[in-house]
Amino acid sequence: MNNEKVRIIFLYKDYFSSFFEKQRQKVKEKIIWTLRVIETIKQVSEDYLKHLEDTDGLYEIKVQQGSDIFRIFCFFDKGKLIVLANGFQKKTQKTPKSEIERALKIKKEYETEK
């Protein structure tokens, strides 16, 4: 994998960090690997980064470790900067509305503060 960054990932406050710290080591490693893919590959597959329809610029980063599935919400700022919001373990087919609402709230907070 090319190490030259196409995008920069930014951790806003401790929303993502508090989720990340609670994960098992294997999950942390897979999250870091996935974030590196997103940072360094020009055309990122929807298997890793997908725009959420009907949300004002919200994306989800998809991470799978074994049978466990995780989602990390993020959004872009100034094109190449990806701001990480909240993450959660996905246990149902549909993404919980409460998690999407939380991510949108974080996005709004970020935009208000910058």
Side-chain angles (χ1 to χ4, degrees):
M1 185 168 21
N2 181 359
N3 284 335
E4 193 173 316
K5 291 185 178 183
V6 178
R7 290 169 208 85
I8 297 166
I9 291 183
F10 175 73
L11 307 182
Y12 175 61
K13 296 196 174 174
D14 67 347
Y15 296 113
F16 170 77
S17 303
S18 60
F19 157 75
F20 182 80
E21 290 304 316
K22 295 174 191 162
Q23 304 312 314
R24 301 183 322 273
Q25 187 58 35
K26 285 260 187 217
V27 173
K28 287 180 181 180
E29 289 168 9
K30 187 65 181 263
I31 290 171
I32 290 167
W33 181 88
T34 306
L35 293 177
R36 282 202 183 115
V37 165
I38 292 167
E39 278 185 321
T40 57
I41 293 181
K42 283 186 176 142
Q43 196 69 31
V44 179
S45 163
E46 281 197 356
D47 292 341
Y48 300 113
L49 181 67
K50 182 179 179 206
H51 179 258
L52 289 175
E53 292 180 19
D54 302 323
T55 64
D56 184 27
L58 202 59
Y59 288 75
E60 67 176 359
I61 297 170
K62 302 174 177 184
V63 178
Q64 185 164 349
Q65 172 57 44
S67 62
D68 294 330
I69 299 170
F70 300 87
R71 294 291 185 262
I72 301 161
F73 290 114
C74 63
F75 49 92
F76 284 83
D77 185 17
K78 295 194 174 92
K80 296 181 187 243
L81 182 68
I82 297 179
V83 181
L84 298 184
N86 53 316
F88 68 99
Q89 184 170 0
K90 192 168 179 188
K91 297 184 180 189
T92 61
Q93 196 65 25
K94 198 157 171 57
T95 300
K97 193 169 177 63
S98 62
E99 293 292 348
I100 294 172
E101 287 168 355
R102 183 170 179 230
L104 289 169
K105 190 174 169 189
I106 293 167
K107 181 176 185 281
K108 187 173 182 156
E109 179 185 337
Y110 172 82
E111 290 168 346
T112 303
E113 285 184 7
K114 73 173 197 146

